Structure formats: structure tokens, C-alpha cells
Amino acid sequence: MTSEQHTATTAALHVGGADDDLEQRLDAELTAYNTAAAQGARTRPLTVRVTDDEGTLVGGLTAWTWGTLASVDMLWVREDQRQAGWGSRLMRAAEEEAARRGCTDMIVSTYTFQAPGFYPRLGYRERGRIEGVPGGHEDVYFHKRVGTAPDRTGRVLGA
């Protein structure tokens, strides 16, 4: 046996639904692996929330930052407040916080039945589509440069 070969462990395969213990363990294992591969960069959560005068949720955004990358997981605005500019304000606030944390790139995806026309208006460029979403839809991926990036000499532009 060469050093490239591995002996399979005798084990049982289980398929099921939600498994909180498995999710937590995989998150911990992949976080450790990714942190080592990214020279110690750690993932940090980022949230933006909008509430009305009564404290009721108007909209919100969840995201994470990891070194120079920020990724939006979810963006939602209450139906009666859509088209009032909250989505743009949520995204701008997230971009500003990501840049403050040192991010230079931001990514987000949306289904074709959600908001694929929204992100280009904010300066995002479409980077790819994946078919196979139920209903004949696609998952659309977007990217935008945010913050200040170092130039070829390593100096931060605008600093």
C-alpha cells in the first residue's frame, strides 16, 4: 500500500432529515480547515435589521465575512415595504460594514423568481447561473468589488 492509499473504516451510513449535532460538527470541522487554508482568517457573522416605530421587523439581511470576502445569505423585506428602497439600504449597510472589516469582494445569489434584476442596479455583476431550481428556475450568482483594494505595490488605494 502506498502513502496515497487509505484503508476504509467499517462504518454505517445514515440518511435522514435535520441533524443539529451533525451540522454543528461539520461546521466546526470545516471552519477549522478553512481557517488554516486562509492563513487564519475567521468567519464572522454580519446582520442588518430594519424595524418600524413599533419595533416590528421591516426587513433584514444575514451575511458573513471571511478575510477579504463577504457573502450575503439572506435578504428579505416585508411585502408592504418592498419598492421603498429598504433592500438597497440593507445592501449598502452590509457593504459598508464588510469594507470596514477589510473585505474587498462581496457575493450573493438569488433565484430567478426572486430578485435577479435588483443586484445589477447596485453594481453587482452576474457570474453564473445554475439550472435545476424547482419550477424551471435558476440560481443566479453575483459579485461586486467593495471597499479599498491594495494596488500592485501592496499599497491600499485611497489610504
Side-chain angles (χ1 to χ4, degrees), residues 11-157:
L13 184 67
H14 302 275
V15 178
D19 187 333
D20 292 338
D21 291 337
L22 179 62
E23 187 172 338
Q24 289 175 8
R25 175 67 186 271
L26 295 180
D27 182 60
E29 295 290 347
L30 288 169
T31 296
Y33 183 84
N34 294 348
T35 299
Q39 292 82 41
R42 295 194 178 276
T43 302
R44 295 173 52 199
L46 189 163
T47 61
V48 184
R49 172 190 294 261
V50 179
T51 54
D52 63 19
D53 293 336
E54 289 81 40
T56 304
L57 186 66
V58 171
L61 178 150
T62 61
W64 48 262
T65 59
W66 181 41
T68 58
L69 178 65
S71 179
V72 175
D73 288 325
M74 293 185 282
L75 169 64
W76 174 82
V77 175
R78 198 171 68 204
E79 190 169 354
D80 69 326
Q81 292 297 307
R82 293 181 189 153
Q83 306 302 315
W86 289 116
S88 297
R89 285 180 256 180
L90 288 162
M91 286 297 293
R92 279 195 298 273
E95 290 170 4
E96 289 169 8
E97 176 60 17
R100 189 191 68 72
R101 293 181 184 190
C103 294
T104 57
D105 296 274
M106 194 149 186
I107 57 176
V108 62
S109 74
T110 187
Y111 298 126
T112 50
F113 61 87
Q114 291 176 325
F118 171 71
Y119 296 101
R121 292 193 302 270
L122 299 177
Y124 287 79
R125 293 181 56 204
E126 184 176 322
R127 297 300 188 179
R129 288 178 180 241
I130 297 178
E131 299 174 343
V133 175
H137 298 285
E138 298 171 314
D139 196 354
V140 186
Y141 291 82
F142 292 94
H143 169 261
K144 180 179 180 179
R145 298 283 289 169
V146 296
T148 55
D151 66 12
R152 287 187 216 138
T153 67
R155 290 177 296 188
V156 174
L157 303 173

